[in-house]
Amino acid sequence: MDRILFEKTGKAVWMSHLDTMRLMQRAFRRAGVLLHHSQGYTPHAYVSMPLPLSVGTESLCEILEYELDSKLPISPEQLNKVMPQGIRVLRVYDSPIKTKYLTMLQAELTLYYDRGVPEGTAERITELFAAPEIKVVKRTKRGPEETDIKPLVYSASLVQKEDRILMDCMVSAQNPPLNPLLLVQAIESLLPQCKPDHATCRRIEVYDDKGNPFR
Amino acid sequence: MNEKLLRILPNVQKPARYVGGEYKEIIKDKKEVDLRVAFCFPDTYEIGMSNLGMRILYAIMNQMPGVWCERVFAPWGDMEEAMTEHGLPLYGLESGDPLTDFDMIAFTIGYEMSYTNVLNMLRLGNIPLHARDRKGLNQMVFAGGACMYNPEPLADFFDFFCIGEGEEMTPEILELYRKAKKEQWSKEAFLKEVAHIEGVYVPSFYEHVYKEDGRLQEIKIAEGAPERITKRIIQNLDSAHYPTDMIVPNLEIVHDRANLEVMRGCIRGCRFCQAGFTYRPVRPRSPETLLQQAIDSLESSGCHEITLSSLSTSDYRELPKLAEEMLDYCTPRKINLSLPSLRADNFSRELMLKLQQVRKSGLTFAPEAGTQRLRDAINKNVTEEEILETCRIAFEGGWNNVKLYFMLGLPTETDEDVLGIAELVYKILKTWRAHASNKKRGCRIHVATAYFVPKPFTPFQWEKQISPEEYIRRQRLLKENMPSKSIEYNWHAADVSRLEAVLARGDRRLGKLLENVLAKGERLDAWDEYFNYQLWLDAFADCGIDPNFYTVRGYEEEELLPWALISDGVQEAYLKAERKRAYASQTTPDCRTQCSACGANCLLKGGKCDG
Ligand code: SF4
């Protein structure tokens, strides 16, 4: 499978998943690479991203799969020359590992408290994620639904800075996936006194079922 | 990025439109910049980034050393609310700096219903609305664009307007401003000087005096100000700057494809069409230039679709050659070529059917009127035979979709003409029944009617607009007489077109109306989600302005018109003659068949039109 590994940071984080795919289709063309196209009246270039990234989330580990009609060498520099701000290709490579083995996602959440972190917040949050279940209301196609996210959170550890808490967490990446921002939502709804003024999320790394970085 | 903005973005729709950072965005070092221009488009990012004029001028201004031109768009309602709540003023996308940091604030205005956005953007940028309240050279506010041939409703708010094409005029204005800034001129001194750049109109030098009955009595011209302002044009499009390395937006925009302008002007002379007159004379680009520009823009942008645009692309003489060469380039690279505004003649017919767009969306026609008599009156030279013949070929080829656009309320229209629309639709349906090769999915005919808005600089500039009640009556009449329930019929709302008519032929007194309606919270009028007719009606009442004065009243041919001092090159006498011919249902040959001496050729050095 032909893949690229790339970062999405800064201004680019506001691009949606679909826009990112469109960007990539165009970027390959700009770099002089014609992707494999589907047949039919409106042929489109095949690209896919196993883990859609939500708008506003940074990532250091995005993976995009593409198809070519015939093999040709592509370098990260070639693609980086034609990228918008915030998109940086780290690797262009061929991988034998199917995306179904992409199982875990490591993310860093930053919780901002404009008036300083209220006392006891870190302890309360640690307690919350140690509890046997963490119920949050998820928006689904069928309307709001309460689910327990605990089975999908493999670990969560906190570091407190003056006005923020950094939370390093490992969550399920697929089947089903967990958006790490749901952890913030859990804090907001279950620990209202610990509600941050603002929170951001960054994907750090993706892993396969054996705990190795997924490529 | 601005901390406030970072807090806002997660909570607004499509945040990518508020941050810039796109591929080919132009960033300059502020230390090397001595003139900053905020280039505003009074609608959303998705609409503004689809505007070719804006993209051309963005490139032209940024090409000037020391000038940094940034883009500013109207925020959507949720963003505006959040910006107000967080105290974040409107800013340039490239630098994130507020409008108050810019030397000049330029607008390109193409639609009357964006006037409230114009004022709202100034307001959100903390720029005083009235030109007279902005002292000094800072924040010089000016505008150009397709609907600035009658800029009077905005006269109070702008320091000056640019009439006509901006490619050459804009750098001249910027150079003059730079000189003024360096030598610390007064604003007055700058305006006096800029008024002598051809195509520039400084409204404060012209005082409008009204009669008791409300009509314009006199325009008093300040000493030294030009007596007439004639639009600027580009003499030779091949040598005009055309950027092929344009910004590629990070989100989907309205026209999300590469775009080439094959020519300016239109040979047809449809009597209702403002652009058909104001864009004269006809000037083509050469196919060699266009092919090169096509390749360059496709390679630079990575788009997989390209459009050849103009008011009437089929009238581009070299279209067969260009289309063939473009298809040769595009097909192996899986690039779609699309050609909007094709006519229903033989060549275009073949081409249309070859192209992607027909396969996707079906055939589109704009007969505008239902009977040949009325089509002759408006000089829309498309015949029923042409339409039916094109439909037949398409139906035989397996297509089943047809879209038809008409106007209601055209001068001389009778019920017979309205019913003529239904008859034409019936004939298309019959053609489908007789010739369709694939009847399984049925025939889909979409009909849309618009409410005719008389526009300045057309032969219909003096016409009455029919009343909203009458428009609705005609629209119902048509609906009742549609030949089949399967026809999808959509009509424009009367309210918007009525306001459009007021603003299109409006005068300076409408400035206070715009301010009043803005204060009531009105903006984004072009969007159903936000348009609120009642607020406009309230504002008319508050200001003591009767909208009917500008719509159903009509203007006398002898009346002094608010836009009387502005010229697009076409003679008023010609418009009057065309109006007479309309009443006699007489067509005027297109410019290629025969020049009818409209006057626009005088704008060309050498005086010869490429009709
Ligand atoms: S001068 Fe003649 S050819 Fe040129 S635009 Fe006018 S009518 Fe057409």
Side-chain angles (χ1 to χ4, degrees), chain B residues 45 92 109 111 159 205 216 241 248 262 292 325 330 372 416 458 460 467 502 514 517 538 575 584:
Chain B
Y45 178 96
I109 307 176
Y111 182 37
D159 295 307
F205 292 164
L216 193 58
H241 181 70
V248 185
V262 295
Q292 194 52 52
E325 286 174 353
C330 292
Q372 198 58 46
E416 196 183 316
T458 69
F460 292 155
S467 70
V502 170
L514 292 170
V517 79
D538 294 346
L575 296 181

Side-chain angles (χ1 to χ4, degrees), chain A residues 11 14-15 19 22-23 25-26 29-30 34 37 41-43 55 81-85 112 114 197-198, chain B residues 1 6-7 9 15-16 19 21 23 25 248 250-252 256 300-302 304 333-335 356 359:
Chain A
K11 290 182 171 183
W14 305 107
M15 236 186 284
D19 289 333
R22 267 170 7 99
L23 157 75
Q25 290 168 336
R26 291 185 179 179
R29 276 187 184 271
R30 296 199 283 262
L34 188 61
H37 276 64
Y41 278 151
T42 47
V55 175
K81 257 194 250 151
V82 294
M83 287 296 177
Q85 276 184 50
Y112 294 87
D114 294 344
D197 293 297
H198 180 59
Chain B
M1 232 161 50
L6 285 175
R7 297 269 175 120
L9 292 172
V19 296
Y23 180 60
E25 172 194 59
V248 185
N250 278 345
L251 72 153
E252 197 171 352
D256 212 0
S300 156
S301 66
H304 68 281
R333 292 171 179 81
K334 314 257 188 334
I335 293 166
Q356 208 60 43
R359 297 184 186 144

